Amino acid sequence: MPALSELQANYGEQGVEVLAIDIQPGRGGVNSWIDNWRRYDDRNVTWASDGSGNLVRKYGNTALGQTGVINKSSNVVYNGRGLSCKSLTTLVEES
């Protein structure tokens, strides 16, 4: 998660927007993923909830903790896990 916050801080003024989508809202007193991340770091990241999972499935995300990178033309240029901050930055700069 720090890589996404850093990306927003470094590229936000150039039109990059990090959108954090929680597909598993908190239940029974348990905090949602978004609540936990907000406690850690909240650098102007846009937050949304997609309890049905429809939006994330539209872009091919199939698991919690997955990162998708979508360019200005709405094309998915990356969808997966374990992307380093350097690799994420390279994808954004090339898109």
Side-chain angles (χ1 to χ4, degrees):
M1 300 312 156
L4 298 177
S5 293
E6 185 176 328
L7 185 75
Q8 182 65 50
N10 293 338
Y11 293 92
E13 290 184 12
Q14 297 173 32
V16 170
E17 183 171 356
V18 173
L19 174 61
I21 302 173
D22 191 349
I23 61 170
Q24 193 172 24
R27 294 185 190 106
V30 176
N31 291 327
S32 71
W33 171 79
I34 286 177
D35 292 333
N36 288 326
W37 191 18
R38 279 183 173 161
R39 265 190 236 114
Y40 170 73
D41 193 355
D42 185 4
R43 292 189 203 165
N44 301 319
V45 172
T46 301
W47 306 92
S49 182
D50 181 22
S52 67
N54 290 334
L55 178 62
V56 294
R57 277 193 298 278
K58 177 181 176 180
Y59 288 103
N61 288 53
T62 58
L64 294 173
Q66 200 165 345
T67 299
V69 178
I70 303 166
N71 66 13
K72 291 179 183 179
S73 301
S74 298
N75 297 315
V76 177
V77 295
Y78 176 81
N79 198 343
R81 300 177 114 177
L83 192 64
S84 71
C85 185
K86 183 177 179 179
S87 296
L88 183 58
T89 300
T90 300
L91 276 172
V92 168
E93 289 175 351
E94 291 175 352
S95 294

